[in-house]
Amino acid sequence: MKDAEAIRQGAEIIRGGGIVAFPTETVYGLGADAYNPLAVARIFEVKRRPYFDPLIVHIAYPAHLKKLVKKIPSSAKKLTEKLWPGPLTVVLLKEENIPDIVTAGLPSIAVRMPDHPMALSLIKESKCPIAAPSANPFGYLSPTTAEHVQDQLGDQVDLILDGGPCPVGVESTIVSFSENKPRLLRPGGVSLEEIEAMIGKVEISPIKDRPSAPGMLPRHYAPRTPIVLDWDEKHLDSYKDKKIGFLAFQEPENFLKFEHIEVLSKKGDFREAAANLFSAIRRLDALHLDLILAEAVPEAGLGRAIMDRLRRATSKEE
Ligand code: TXA
Ligand code: MG
């Protein structure tokens, strides 16, 4: 099927109250008409996502933001003007007619304009904003290829649009403007440094204290194989009878006795590492290893989003 024909079919499904998986620049989303509460409810069922975890609403024109929210503070306006389309989600006070199921009953709504031609065409042809979480079962890694979606949710969605691998590879950065000061709710595809250069200081919510983002549970993005991040080479001996995989940021210097090694970016480039992160973890997870050791990356730029996902993947809390 040609892309244009697939998108036309996807838009027809969305308009008819169905659900469609589609590529964005960050990860694949699972979308429904944001104004159709029954269609949105199917997303929660298919993902087994708790209803307290609100969705992001995707738009195709920056001007549509004002239809969804009460007011746009100047710093939010500045950010969206500079960074949309792109991996930035803004949380603002919502307009009354947004169904409660989309926002989990919160007074605020999360909105973004994705930077992917297929996503933008799908939204335009559907003629409605599309509410979409990442297209994975709740708590698991986000999909960055159409095959990832097919493997996990394939028979439960009405259509999967295939746009190849997602170029950014980690989810959007979420900034909330629903309090007095802008607050980073989730590090992601745009770095905090870039955002602060545009609007000044942004508050940061620590992982375990995110009252305004119910979906930010400590354990998330988790593969089935345990991942360990805070390991020490001195202790590798104690793992010697185990099948161990290694998730390396750069080419490792000593190859020890790992069963399998995934290198995120040979030259240590954050962008390349983020784009490879979820696929690499999935490949390791498929090998039935006892353990995955992950290498920490520096916490600057996109490194912050990579470390956030790794910490959630390793957290033992449910
Ligand atoms: O890159 C992305 O953002 C991808 C693509 C598909 O756009 N979407 C994505 O959606 O990552 P999801 O549902 O996996 O994560 C959205 C997060 C949730 O954890 C949720 O808690 C938060 O956004 N969120 C949504 N609405 C919110 C609100 N009103 N206030 C605070 N957090 C909100
Ligand atoms: Mg998700």
Side-chain angles (χ1 to χ4, degrees):
M1 199 169 22
K2 287 248 165 46
D3 282 359
E5 170 55 19
I7 291 165
R8 196 195 55 72
Q9 202 181 320
E12 206 172 287
I13 293 170
I14 298 271
R15 283 198 303 272
I19 57 176
V20 174
F22 62 97
T24 79
E25 80 281 29
T26 58
V27 301
Y28 276 70
L30 180 59
D33 174 355
Y35 288 115
N36 182 338
L38 281 180
V40 174
R42 237 187 98 203
I43 293 179
F44 282 88
E45 278 163 34
V46 164
K47 278 193 57 126
R48 299 180 187 280
R49 181 177 175 113
Y51 287 99
F52 62 73
D53 193 0
L55 307 185
I56 295 174
V57 174
H58 297 69
I59 56 177
Y61 303 97
H64 285 182
L65 175 62
K66 61 177 183 294
K67 296 188 191 166
L68 302 170
V69 306
K70 286 220 163 84
K71 185 168 148 270
I72 307 173
S74 60
S75 47
K77 188 157 193 296
K78 204 187 254 176
L79 274 194
T80 57
E81 274 172 5
K82 296 213 166 144
L83 296 172
W84 278 0
L88 167 79
T89 294
V90 291
V91 173
L92 298 163
L93 290 178
K94 71 163 193 155
E95 203 53 91
E96 307 299 342
N97 64 345
I98 311 293
D100 273 339
I101 188 167
V102 172
T103 62
L106 292 174
S108 59
I109 182 173
V111 185
R112 92 175 187 99
M113 177 177 171
D115 187 13
H116 195 290
M118 269 187 146
L120 292 172
S121 301
L122 179 70
I123 303 165
K124 285 176 190 166
E125 291 193 29
S126 301
K127 299 186 170 37
C128 59
I130 294 185
S134 49
N136 51 282
F138 184 70
Y140 196 70
L141 302 162
S142 297
T144 52
T145 66
E147 291 74 37
H148 294 164
V149 184
Q150 179 62 43
D151 288 348
Q152 292 191 299
L153 301 176
D155 50 348
Q156 300 174 76
V157 304
D158 299 321
L159 181 70
I160 300 173
L161 293 175
D162 188 348
C166 302
V168 175
V170 290
E171 300 82 350
S172 60
T173 302
I174 307 182
V175 182
S176 172
F177 296 88
S178 63
E179 303 162 48
N180 288 337
K181 293 182 185 157
R183 178 177 286 277
L184 179 76
L185 298 184
R186 177 176 73 183
V190 196
S191 72
L192 180 64
E193 289 86 341
E194 205 178 327
I195 289 171
E196 289 193 325
M198 293 172 193
I199 60 166
K201 178 106 187 72
V202 171
E203 308 282 311
I204 299 178
S205 299
I207 278 193
K208 293 197 175 164
D209 172 27
R210 295 182 185 233
S212 55
M216 309 297 178
L217 301 173
R219 182 168 171 81
H220 219 77
Y221 310 106
R224 277 169 277 276
T225 317
I227 296 199
V228 176
L229 189 55
D230 55 351
W231 53 281
D232 193 311
E233 230 162 289
K234 290 200 291 274
H235 303 134
L236 278 183
D237 247 12
S238 58
Y239 297 131
K240 68 172 179 298
D241 302 325
K242 302 229 185 308
K243 277 168 69 180
I244 302 179
F246 188 50
L247 183 66
F249 173 43
Q250 281 174 273
E251 194 81 74
E253 279 163 20
N254 55 23
F255 281 81
L256 296 164
K257 60 244 168 213
F258 297 117
E259 195 77 20
H260 184 78
I261 298 179
E262 286 286 339
V263 179
L264 292 177
S265 169
K266 278 191 178 157
K267 49 188 194 300
D269 176 64
F270 284 146
R271 274 182 199 286
E272 190 183 15
N276 288 329
L277 182 67
F278 291 147
S279 287
I281 298 178
R282 276 172 193 265
R283 281 192 293 274
L284 286 164
D285 204 18
L287 297 175
H288 305 287
L289 303 164
D290 295 312
L291 198 68
I292 299 167
L293 297 184
E295 182 179 23
V297 309
E299 284 200 64
L302 280 189
R304 196 176 274 111
I306 296 173
M307 282 303 279
D308 174 85
R309 305 305 185 270
L310 284 176
R311 286 207 183 91
R312 288 178 210 278
T314 59
S315 173
K316 303 226 172 16
E317 283 168 59
E318 289 297 331

Tab-separated table of all heavy atoms in Angstrom, residues 133-189:
chain	number	residue	atom	x	y	z
A	133	PRO	N	-0.920	8.044	23.244
A	133	PRO	CA	0.240	7.679	24.053
A	133	PRO	C	1.209	6.913	23.158
A	133	PRO	O	0.910	6.674	21.987
A	133	PRO	CB	-0.364	6.729	25.086
A	133	PRO	CG	-1.461	6.036	24.340
A	133	PRO	CD	-1.981	7.040	23.321
A	134	SER	N	2.357	6.543	23.684
A	134	SER	CA	3.249	5.672	22.928
A	134	SER	C	2.548	4.322	22.720
A	134	SER	O	1.762	3.889	23.562
A	134	SER	CB	4.555	5.499	23.696
A	134	SER	OG	4.294	5.155	25.047
A	135	ALA	N	2.819	3.677	21.580
A	135	ALA	CA	2.076	2.480	21.171
A	135	ALA	C	2.670	1.187	21.746
A	135	ALA	O	2.996	0.262	21.007
A	135	ALA	CB	2.013	2.417	19.644
A	136	ASN	N	2.786	1.128	23.066
A	136	ASN	CA	3.337	-0.056	23.739
A	136	ASN	C	2.404	-0.450	24.879
A	136	ASN	O	1.675	0.392	25.389
A	136	ASN	CB	4.718	0.277	24.322
A	136	ASN	CG	4.680	1.540	25.163
A	136	ASN	OD1	4.670	2.648	24.625
A	136	ASN	ND2	4.619	1.386	26.470
A	137	PRO	N	2.454	-1.729	25.297
A	137	PRO	CA	1.707	-2.087	26.502
A	137	PRO	C	2.225	-1.245	27.669
A	137	PRO	O	3.415	-0.915	27.718
A	137	PRO	CB	2.052	-3.562	26.705
A	137	PRO	CG	2.565	-4.044	25.395
A	137	PRO	CD	3.195	-2.865	24.726
A	138	PHE	N	1.347	-0.880	28.592
A	138	PHE	CA	1.707	0.007	29.693
A	138	PHE	C	2.944	-0.498	30.445
A	138	PHE	O	3.032	-1.679	30.789
A	138	PHE	CB	0.536	0.133	30.673
A	138	PHE	CG	0.815	1.117	31.771
A	138	PHE	CD1	0.869	2.473	31.503
A	138	PHE	CD2	1.045	0.686	33.068
A	138	PHE	CE1	1.151	3.393	32.505
A	138	PHE	CE2	1.319	1.609	34.082
A	138	PHE	CZ	1.372	2.957	33.792
A	139	GLY	N	3.887	0.396	30.699
A	139	GLY	CA	5.076	0.049	31.488
A	139	GLY	C	6.226	-0.494	30.671
A	139	GLY	O	7.343	-0.575	31.160
A	140	TYR	N	5.987	-0.878	29.394
A	140	TYR	CA	7.073	-1.432	28.585
A	140	TYR	C	7.718	-0.311	27.760
A	140	TYR	O	7.272	0.822	27.760
A	140	TYR	CB	6.549	-2.561	27.684
A	140	TYR	CG	7.665	-3.422	27.123
A	140	TYR	CD1	8.392	-4.273	27.961
A	140	TYR	CD2	8.007	-3.360	25.785
A	140	TYR	CE1	9.437	-5.030	27.464
A	140	TYR	CE2	9.054	-4.125	25.269
A	140	TYR	CZ	9.762	-4.957	26.112
A	140	TYR	OH	10.796	-5.705	25.619
A	141	LEU	N	8.827	-0.660	27.085
A	141	LEU	CA	9.547	0.316	26.271
A	141	LEU	C	8.680	0.848	25.137
A	141	LEU	O	7.911	0.100	24.542
A	141	LEU	CB	10.747	-0.378	25.619
A	141	LEU	CG	11.760	-1.024	26.540
A	141	LEU	CD1	12.605	-2.008	25.748
A	141	LEU	CD2	12.629	0.050	27.144
A	142	SER	N	8.859	2.102	24.792
A	142	SER	CA	8.135	2.674	23.661
A	142	SER	C	8.664	2.094	22.351
A	142	SER	O	9.853	1.821	22.228
A	142	SER	CB	8.312	4.191	23.634
A	142	SER	OG	7.756	4.765	24.785
A	143	PRO	N	7.780	1.919	21.353
A	143	PRO	CA	8.210	1.372	20.064
A	143	PRO	C	8.858	2.437	19.183
A	143	PRO	O	8.366	3.560	19.094
A	143	PRO	CB	6.891	0.906	19.424
A	143	PRO	CG	5.841	1.734	20.066
A	143	PRO	CD	6.338	2.169	21.415
A	144	THR	N	9.952	2.081	18.522
A	144	THR	CA	10.587	3.034	17.609
A	144	THR	C	10.580	2.512	16.170
A	144	THR	O	11.178	3.134	15.291
A	144	THR	CB	12.027	3.369	18.061
A	144	THR	OG1	12.744	2.144	18.267
A	144	THR	CG2	12.023	4.155	19.369
A	145	THR	N	9.923	1.368	15.950
A	145	THR	CA	9.698	0.902	14.569
A	145	THR	C	8.278	0.332	14.504
A	145	THR	O	7.685	-0.005	15.545
A	145	THR	CB	10.659	-0.238	14.146
A	145	THR	OG1	10.389	-1.408	14.932
A	145	THR	CG2	12.118	0.135	14.299
A	146	ALA	N	7.758	0.198	13.277
A	146	ALA	CA	6.415	-0.378	13.092
A	146	ALA	C	6.412	-1.844	13.543
A	146	ALA	O	5.405	-2.349	14.048
A	146	ALA	CB	5.994	-0.260	11.636
A	147	GLU	N	7.554	-2.533	13.376
A	147	GLU	CA	7.636	-3.944	13.802
A	147	GLU	C	7.451	-4.059	15.315
A	147	GLU	O	6.818	-5.003	15.794
A	147	GLU	CB	8.982	-4.586	13.411
A	147	GLU	CG	9.183	-4.797	11.922
A	147	GLU	CD	9.479	-3.496	11.170
A	147	GLU	OE1	10.189	-2.626	11.727
A	147	GLU	OE2	8.991	-3.328	10.038
A	148	HIS	N	8.043	-3.112	16.081
A	148	HIS	CA	7.850	-3.153	17.541
A	148	HIS	C	6.359	-3.102	17.874
A	148	HIS	O	5.881	-3.819	18.743
A	148	HIS	CB	8.515	-1.941	18.226
A	148	HIS	CG	10.018	-1.923	18.131
A	148	HIS	ND1	10.744	-0.786	18.399
A	148	HIS	CD2	10.919	-2.887	17.834
A	148	HIS	CE1	12.042	-1.039	18.258
A	148	HIS	NE2	12.168	-2.318	17.913
A	149	VAL	N	5.611	-2.251	17.171
A	149	VAL	CA	4.174	-2.122	17.440
A	149	VAL	C	3.473	-3.424	17.049
A	149	VAL	O	2.670	-3.977	17.803
A	149	VAL	CB	3.543	-0.956	16.646
A	149	VAL	CG1	2.068	-0.805	17.031
A	149	VAL	CG2	4.286	0.348	16.894
A	150	GLN	N	3.816	-3.912	15.855
A	150	GLN	CA	3.208	-5.158	15.350
A	150	GLN	C	3.423	-6.302	16.347
A	150	GLN	O	2.494	-7.039	16.663
A	150	GLN	CB	3.842	-5.489	13.985
A	150	GLN	CG	3.333	-6.762	13.329
A	150	GLN	CD	1.837	-6.713	13.023
A	150	GLN	OE1	1.334	-5.695	12.535
A	150	GLN	NE2	1.107	-7.776	13.335
A	151	ASP	N	4.641	-6.435	16.876
A	151	ASP	CA	4.961	-7.541	17.781
A	151	ASP	C	4.120	-7.492	19.055
A	151	ASP	O	3.756	-8.521	19.593
A	151	ASP	CB	6.439	-7.492	18.206
A	151	ASP	CG	7.353	-7.870	17.060
A	151	ASP	OD1	6.829	-8.381	16.049
A	151	ASP	OD2	8.571	-7.637	17.164
A	152	GLN	N	3.836	-6.281	19.546
A	152	GLN	CA	3.200	-6.205	20.866
A	152	GLN	C	1.711	-5.920	20.833
A	152	GLN	O	0.986	-6.353	21.716
A	152	GLN	CB	3.907	-5.142	21.686
A	152	GLN	CG	5.310	-5.599	22.018
A	152	GLN	CD	5.951	-4.722	23.042
A	152	GLN	OE1	6.116	-3.536	22.808
A	152	GLN	NE2	6.287	-5.287	24.175
A	153	LEU	N	1.258	-5.166	19.843
A	153	LEU	CA	-0.164	-4.781	19.836
A	153	LEU	C	-0.834	-5.102	18.506
A	153	LEU	O	-1.991	-4.757	18.293
A	153	LEU	CB	-0.304	-3.268	20.107
A	153	LEU	CG	0.254	-2.713	21.414
A	153	LEU	CD1	0.098	-1.196	21.430
A	153	LEU	CD2	-0.446	-3.315	22.622
A	154	GLY	N	-0.091	-5.740	17.616
A	154	GLY	CA	-0.501	-5.919	16.231
A	154	GLY	C	-1.963	-6.259	15.998
A	154	GLY	O	-2.645	-5.592	15.226
A	155	ASP	N	-2.463	-7.295	16.686
A	155	ASP	CA	-3.820	-7.741	16.372
A	155	ASP	C	-4.892	-6.884	17.043
A	155	ASP	O	-6.073	-7.093	16.831
A	155	ASP	CB	-3.998	-9.217	16.766
A	155	ASP	CG	-3.529	-9.466	18.190
A	155	ASP	OD1	-2.870	-8.577	18.776
A	155	ASP	OD2	-3.836	-10.544	18.733
A	156	GLN	N	-4.484	-5.932	17.870
A	156	GLN	CA	-5.486	-5.158	18.607
A	156	GLN	C	-5.716	-3.755	18.071
A	156	GLN	O	-6.595	-3.047	18.543
A	156	GLN	CB	-5.077	-5.046	20.074
A	156	GLN	CG	-4.945	-6.405	20.743
A	156	GLN	CD	-4.402	-6.234	22.135
A	156	GLN	OE1	-5.116	-5.820	23.043
A	156	GLN	NE2	-3.134	-6.499	22.300
A	157	VAL	N	-4.884	-3.339	17.104
A	157	VAL	CA	-5.082	-1.989	16.559
A	157	VAL	C	-5.656	-2.102	15.155
A	157	VAL	O	-5.472	-3.110	14.470
A	157	VAL	CB	-3.775	-1.151	16.568
A	157	VAL	CG1	-3.192	-1.084	17.963
A	157	VAL	CG2	-2.759	-1.720	15.605
A	158	ASP	N	-6.370	-1.070	14.713
A	158	ASP	CA	-7.060	-1.142	13.426
A	158	ASP	C	-6.107	-1.002	12.251
A	158	ASP	O	-6.350	-1.531	11.173
A	158	ASP	CB	-8.157	-0.070	13.372
A	158	ASP	CG	-9.191	-0.288	14.473
A	158	ASP	OD1	-9.525	-1.462	14.737
A	158	ASP	OD2	-9.632	0.698	15.090
A	159	LEU	N	-5.011	-0.276	12.450
A	159	LEU	CA	-4.034	-0.081	11.364
A	159	LEU	C	-2.712	0.383	11.969
A	159	LEU	O	-2.697	1.115	12.958
A	159	LEU	CB	-4.549	0.999	10.391
A	159	LEU	CG	-3.668	1.309	9.178
A	159	LEU	CD1	-3.670	0.154	8.173
A	159	LEU	CD2	-4.142	2.591	8.476
A	160	ILE	N	-1.609	-0.073	11.371
A	160	ILE	CA	-0.286	0.443	11.768
A	160	ILE	C	0.309	1.136	10.545
A	160	ILE	O	0.502	0.499	9.506
A	160	ILE	CB	0.650	-0.694	12.230
A	160	ILE	CG1	0.064	-1.433	13.434
A	160	ILE	CG2	2.036	-0.126	12.574
A	160	ILE	CD1	0.842	-2.688	13.848
A	161	LEU	N	0.586	2.415	10.653
A	161	LEU	CA	1.255	3.137	9.566
A	161	LEU	C	2.760	2.960	9.761
A	161	LEU	O	3.277	3.191	10.852
A	161	LEU	CB	0.899	4.631	9.602
A	161	LEU	CG	-0.559	4.984	9.301
A	161	LEU	CD1	-0.787	6.491	9.497
A	161	LEU	CD2	-0.921	4.573	7.878
A	162	ASP	N	3.458	2.540	8.688
A	162	ASP	CA	4.890	2.277	8.800
A	162	ASP	C	5.692	3.437	8.205
A	162	ASP	O	5.658	3.641	6.993
A	162	ASP	CB	5.220	0.965	8.078
A	162	ASP	CG	6.657	0.531	8.318
A	162	ASP	OD1	7.464	1.335	8.837
A	162	ASP	OD2	6.971	-0.634	8.004
A	163	GLY	N	6.390	4.162	9.061
A	163	GLY	CA	7.218	5.279	8.574
A	163	GLY	C	8.682	5.007	8.836
A	163	GLY	O	9.486	5.934	8.894
A	164	GLY	N	9.047	3.737	9.028
A	164	GLY	CA	10.452	3.415	9.298
A	164	GLY	C	10.822	3.756	10.735
A	164	GLY	O	9.963	4.111	11.541
A	165	PRO	N	12.125	3.646	11.071
A	165	PRO	CA	12.564	3.911	12.446
A	165	PRO	C	12.407	5.399	12.817
A	165	PRO	O	12.603	6.267	11.963
A	165	PRO	CB	14.046	3.523	12.444
A	165	PRO	CG	14.364	3.000	11.103
A	165	PRO	CD	13.218	3.250	10.183
A	166	CYS	N	12.058	5.669	14.061
A	166	CYS	CA	11.880	7.056	14.522
A	166	CYS	C	13.242	7.721	14.682
A	166	CYS	O	14.106	7.189	15.383
A	166	CYS	CB	11.163	7.084	15.872
A	166	CYS	SG	9.544	6.288	15.821
A	167	PRO	N	13.445	8.883	14.068
A	167	PRO	CA	14.776	9.496	14.106
A	167	PRO	C	15.249	9.966	15.489
A	167	PRO	O	16.435	9.928	15.765
A	167	PRO	CB	14.661	10.683	13.145
A	167	PRO	CG	13.206	10.905	12.931
A	167	PRO	CD	12.519	9.592	13.179
A	168	VAL	N	14.353	10.396	16.360
A	168	VAL	CA	14.797	10.886	17.686
A	168	VAL	C	14.930	9.719	18.671
A	168	VAL	O	15.928	9.594	19.374
A	168	VAL	CB	13.837	11.975	18.242
A	168	VAL	CG1	14.229	12.374	19.664
A	168	VAL	CG2	13.860	13.200	17.326
A	169	GLY	N	13.925	8.869	18.764
A	169	GLY	CA	14.063	7.621	19.519
A	169	GLY	C	13.713	7.671	20.987
A	169	GLY	O	13.531	6.634	21.602
A	170	VAL	N	13.656	8.843	21.604
A	170	VAL	CA	13.108	8.963	22.969
A	170	VAL	C	11.915	9.919	22.883
A	170	VAL	O	11.827	10.735	21.968
A	170	VAL	CB	14.113	9.475	24.022
A	170	VAL	CG1	15.162	8.427	24.309
A	170	VAL	CG2	14.744	10.790	23.597
A	171	GLU	N	11.012	9.827	23.864
A	171	GLU	CA	9.786	10.603	23.826
A	171	GLU	C	10.050	12.107	23.955
A	171	GLU	O	11.141	12.535	24.328
A	171	GLU	CB	8.840	10.145	24.952
A	171	GLU	CG	8.420	8.691	24.882
A	171	GLU	CD	9.448	7.748	25.475
A	171	GLU	OE1	10.587	8.176	25.788
A	171	GLU	OE2	9.111	6.557	25.626
A	172	SER	N	8.994	12.865	23.735
A	172	SER	CA	9.110	14.326	23.792
A	172	SER	C	9.444	14.806	25.202
A	172	SER	O	9.153	14.134	26.189
A	172	SER	CB	7.795	14.961	23.338
A	172	SER	OG	6.739	14.546	24.182
A	173	THR	N	10.041	15.971	25.268
A	173	THR	CA	10.273	16.668	26.537
A	173	THR	C	8.948	17.300	26.951
A	173	THR	O	8.291	17.944	26.131
A	173	THR	CB	11.322	17.781	26.317
A	173	THR	OG1	12.514	17.168	25.814
A	173	THR	CG2	11.632	18.523	27.612
A	174	ILE	N	8.531	17.074	28.211
A	174	ILE	CA	7.258	17.658	28.663
A	174	ILE	C	7.534	18.813	29.623
A	174	ILE	O	8.208	18.638	30.638
A	174	ILE	CB	6.369	16.620	29.378
A	174	ILE	CG1	6.179	15.380	28.496
A	174	ILE	CG2	5.010	17.226	29.736
A	174	ILE	CD1	5.278	14.307	29.096
A	175	VAL	N	7.001	20.000	29.278
A	175	VAL	CA	7.138	21.177	30.151
A	175	VAL	C	5.738	21.640	30.534
A	175	VAL	O	4.887	21.856	29.665
A	175	VAL	CB	7.896	22.323	29.445
A	175	VAL	CG1	8.061	23.510	30.396
A	175	VAL	CG2	9.249	21.860	28.951
A	176	SER	N	5.496	21.771	31.838
A	176	SER	CA	4.192	22.218	32.305
A	176	SER	C	4.197	23.710	32.610
A	176	SER	O	5.125	24.227	33.238
A	176	SER	CB	3.798	21.447	33.565
A	176	SER	OG	2.620	22.023	34.106
A	177	PHE	N	3.136	24.363	32.153
A	177	PHE	CA	2.932	25.793	32.452
A	177	PHE	C	1.655	25.954	33.273
A	177	PHE	O	1.059	27.002	33.296
A	177	PHE	CB	2.827	26.593	31.158
A	177	PHE	CG	4.096	26.574	30.350
A	177	PHE	CD1	4.327	25.564	29.430
A	177	PHE	CD2	5.065	27.543	30.528
A	177	PHE	CE1	5.504	25.530	28.691
A	177	PHE	CE2	6.245	27.518	29.794
A	177	PHE	CZ	6.463	26.506	28.881
A	178	SER	N	1.235	24.883	33.924
A	178	SER	CA	-0.039	24.955	34.647
A	178	SER	C	0.137	25.518	36.058
A	178	SER	O	-0.828	25.786	36.753
A	178	SER	CB	-0.727	23.587	34.677
A	178	SER	OG	0.063	22.678	35.377
A	179	GLU	N	1.401	25.677	36.501
A	179	GLU	CA	1.650	26.376	37.766
A	179	GLU	C	2.255	27.743	37.424
A	179	GLU	O	2.315	28.107	36.263
A	179	GLU	CB	2.644	25.593	38.625
A	179	GLU	CG	2.210	24.168	38.931
A	179	GLU	CD	3.387	23.325	39.395
A	179	GLU	OE1	4.136	23.782	40.284
A	179	GLU	OE2	3.578	22.229	38.860
A	180	ASN	N	2.769	28.426	38.452
A	180	ASN	CA	3.350	29.743	38.193
A	180	ASN	C	4.606	29.688	37.336
A	180	ASN	O	4.793	30.478	36.430
A	180	ASN	CB	3.694	30.442	39.510
A	180	ASN	CG	2.440	30.881	40.214
A	180	ASN	OD1	1.402	31.051	39.569
A	180	ASN	ND2	2.513	31.034	41.526
A	181	LYS	N	5.472	28.719	37.673
A	181	LYS	CA	6.744	28.654	36.955
A	181	LYS	C	6.754	27.450	36.026
A	181	LYS	O	6.180	26.411	36.370
A	181	LYS	CB	7.879	28.481	37.967
A	181	LYS	CG	8.073	29.677	38.850
A	181	LYS	CD	9.238	29.421	39.781
A	181	LYS	CE	9.398	30.550	40.778
A	181	LYS	NZ	10.099	30.124	41.981
A	182	PRO	N	7.441	27.562	34.855
A	182	PRO	CA	7.541	26.397	33.979
A	182	PRO	C	8.265	25.256	34.689
A	182	PRO	O	9.231	25.495	35.428
A	182	PRO	CB	8.345	26.885	32.775
A	182	PRO	CG	8.733	28.284	33.038
A	182	PRO	CD	8.106	28.753	34.311
A	183	ARG	N	7.798	24.035	34.479
A	183	ARG	CA	8.367	22.885	35.166
A	183	ARG	C	8.604	21.750	34.175
A	183	ARG	O	7.722	21.410	33.384
A	183	ARG	CB	7.410	22.431	36.264
A	183	ARG	CG	7.865	21.192	37.038
A	183	ARG	CD	6.906	20.857	38.157
A	183	ARG	NE	7.006	21.771	39.271
A	183	ARG	CZ	7.916	21.666	40.256
A	183	ARG	NH1	8.790	20.681	40.246
A	183	ARG	NH2	7.946	22.529	41.227
A	184	LEU	N	9.798	21.157	34.244
A	184	LEU	CA	10.108	20.006	33.394
A	184	LEU	C	9.491	18.767	34.028
A	184	LEU	O	9.860	18.386	35.135
A	184	LEU	CB	11.629	19.836	33.292
A	184	LEU	CG	12.114	18.659	32.458
A	184	LEU	CD1	11.977	18.939	30.969
A	184	LEU	CD2	13.574	18.324	32.774
A	185	LEU	N	8.539	18.127	33.330
A	185	LEU	CA	7.917	16.915	33.879
A	185	LEU	C	8.604	15.653	33.368
A	185	LEU	O	8.577	14.627	34.018
A	185	LEU	CB	6.435	16.855	33.508
A	185	LEU	CG	5.543	17.982	34.038
A	185	LEU	CD1	4.096	17.721	33.650
A	185	LEU	CD2	5.664	18.120	35.550
A	186	ARG	N	9.171	15.742	32.150
A	186	ARG	CA	9.878	14.576	31.611
A	186	ARG	C	10.965	15.069	30.680
A	186	ARG	O	10.674	15.783	29.729
A	186	ARG	CB	8.892	13.684	30.827
A	186	ARG	CG	9.557	12.485	30.167
A	186	ARG	CD	8.548	11.566	29.469
A	186	ARG	NE	8.027	12.140	28.230
A	186	ARG	CZ	7.105	11.558	27.471
A	186	ARG	NH1	6.576	10.402	27.833
A	186	ARG	NH2	6.695	12.132	26.353
A	187	PRO	N	12.239	14.705	30.922
A	187	PRO	CA	13.278	15.063	29.949
A	187	PRO	C	13.043	14.247	28.679
A	187	PRO	O	12.534	13.123	28.752
A	187	PRO	CB	14.580	14.650	30.635
A	187	PRO	CG	14.204	13.679	31.700
A	187	PRO	CD	12.755	13.888	32.035
A	188	GLY	N	13.360	14.788	27.519
A	188	GLY	CA	13.100	14.062	26.265
A	188	GLY	C	13.907	14.612	25.114
A	188	GLY	O	15.011	15.122	25.309
A	189	GLY	N	13.313	14.533	23.943
A	189	GLY	CA	14.011	14.834	22.694
A	189	GLY	C	14.569	16.240	22.507
A	189	GLY	O	15.436	16.440	21.669
